[in-house]
Amino acid sequence: MTRTVYLNGEYLPEAEAKISIFDRGFLMADGVYEVTSVLGGKLIDFAGHCARLSRSLAELGMTNPHTDAEWQAIHHELVTRNAVIDGMVYLQVTRGNPGDRSFAFPDPEIAPTVVLFTQSNPGLADNPMAKTGMKVISIPDVRWGRRDIKTVQLLYPSMGKMAAKKAGVDDSWFVEDGHVTEGTSNNAYIIKGNRIITRQLSHDILHGITRAAVLRFAVEAQMEVEERPFTIAEAQGADEAFITSASAFVMPVVEVDGVAVGTGAPGKIAARLREIYLEEMLKSAI
Ligand code: PDD
C-alpha cells in the first residue's frame, strides 16, 4: 500500500513528496524531529512530544510552524488515512530551503520544511524482546554537547547500532567520562533493590518523554528514584537494567558488555514498570 505522507501543508502519496537538495535538513542536519507511538489507532503521550518539539525548535531559534492542536490534527489525519493501528508517526521540521548552501541561518527566517509520515508496526506493544530482554555493549559517547535537543544528527547513533549488530547484540550504551549517558535511541536505567537509578537531565542526554512518565509511575508505585550517572561496572552488578523510548516503551536489558545483569533474565521491576506504563498510557491515549 502506498502511504500518504504530509509535506508542507499537503497530504501526498509518498512518491510525490519531494524536498529541495538545498534543504538545510539535508545539507546541515539543521532540523528536529519527534516520534510518537500509535497503539490501537491512538497517539501515546502526545502532549509530551508536542512540548519537547516546541523546546527543541526554540533552542535552535526556529519558530514552531503549528499549534499543538494543528499538530494533533495532522497526526490524526495521517493515522486515519494510512489505517495505522499500531506503529508510529514521525515528524520532522527543518530550517527550510534557502535556495543555496550557506553556513549562516537564513535571515530573516524562511518557511520551514515540515514532513510527517507513519510507519505501521502491528503488535508493537507485544514485542517478544520484552520477554527475553536485550543485550548491549558500551561505546564512547562522541556526540555533540546538546543532546537535549532532538536534532536529526543521527549518524553516530546509527554507527552505535551498527557496532551493536556487529557484536551480535541489540544496542549500544554511550559512555562519557566513565559513566553511561544513554542508549543510541533510548534512556538507560539500572535497578538496585527497590531503587531505580538513571542519569539526571542535562545537556548530556535527551529528555525522554517516556523517561518522564516512567519515573512518575515508579514514584507512584513506591519505588525509589535516584537521578545520577552510573558506570558500566555498576550496571553489570545491578539487579536489573532497562531502557525506555517512545517506540520500545520499557525494555529490559539482560547483558552489558558480555556480563549478565542480575539473573540474566528480565527482572520483575522492569516488567512491572512496562505493564504500568502501557496500562496508564493507553488510558490517556488520544
Ligand atoms: N528516540 N535518547 C535518545 C538519544 C533518543 O533518540 C530517544 C528517542 C530517547 C528516548 O526518548 P523518548 O522516550 O522521548 O522516545 C532517548 C526515538 C524513539 C527515535 O529516534 O526513534
Side-chain angles (χ1 to χ4, degrees), residues 33 35 52 150 182 184-187 206 208-210 245-247:
Y33 76 107
V35 173
R52 186 173 58 193
K150 199 165 170 62
E182 58 188 334
T184 58
S185 58
N186 47 66
N187 291 115
L206 187 73
I209 300 307
T210 320
S245 77
S247 46

Side-chain angles (χ1 to χ4, degrees), residues 33-211:
Y33 76 107
E34 280 298 328
V35 173
T36 303
S37 270
V38 178
L39 289 178
K42 292 184 170 176
L43 304 170
I44 300 297
D45 213 344
F46 186 68
H49 290 284
C50 271
R52 186 173 58 193
L53 173 66
S54 282
R55 181 179 180 276
S56 293
L57 289 167
E59 290 296 312
L60 295 178
M62 290 166 70
T63 301
N64 192 336
H66 292 296
T67 63
D68 289 0
E70 287 166 355
W71 284 124
Q72 189 177 319
I74 301 168
H75 278 69
H76 278 154
E77 187 65 27
L78 281 180
V79 167
T80 304
R81 287 195 190 214
N82 294 312
V84 181
I85 306 298
D86 298 333
M88 60 108 156
V89 180
Y90 177 90
L91 174 171
Q92 180 168 331
V93 181
T94 81
R95 206 181 301 271
N97 162 28
D100 222 335
R101 179 176 182 268
S102 164
F103 279 83
F105 296 170
D107 181 21
E109 211 176 340
I110 57 173
T113 301
V114 179
V115 170
L116 287 92
F117 59 83
T118 57
Q119 245 169 241
S120 272
N121 190 348
L124 175 62
D126 303 317
N127 188 338
M129 200 182 256
K131 296 268 181 301
T132 56
M134 57 191 276
K135 298 177 179 178
V136 302
I137 54 167
S138 63
I139 60 170
D141 197 339
V142 301
R143 296 173 299 162
W144 78 325
R146 288 304 306 273
R147 303 156 193 157
D148 56 309
I149 308 172
K150 199 165 170 62
T151 73
V152 294
Q153 302 176 64
L154 296 178
L155 179 56
Y156 192 65
S158 292
M159 290 168 74
K161 286 274 185 210
M162 293 314 292
K165 207 170 162 184
K166 199 168 164 206
V169 299
D170 306 294
D171 201 9
S172 294
W173 276 6
F174 296 136
V175 174
E176 187 171 61
D177 297 331
H179 293 89
V180 173
T181 50
E182 58 188 334
T184 58
S185 58
N186 47 66
N187 291 115
Y189 310 73
I190 57 174
I191 303 176
K192 287 181 178 179
N194 189 38
R195 177 174 299 210
I196 296 164
I197 301 163
T198 193
R199 198 178 179 98
Q200 70 277 18
L201 297 182
S202 71
H203 289 175
D204 299 342
I205 61 169
L206 187 73
H207 301 185
I209 300 307
T210 320
R211 177 189 184 281

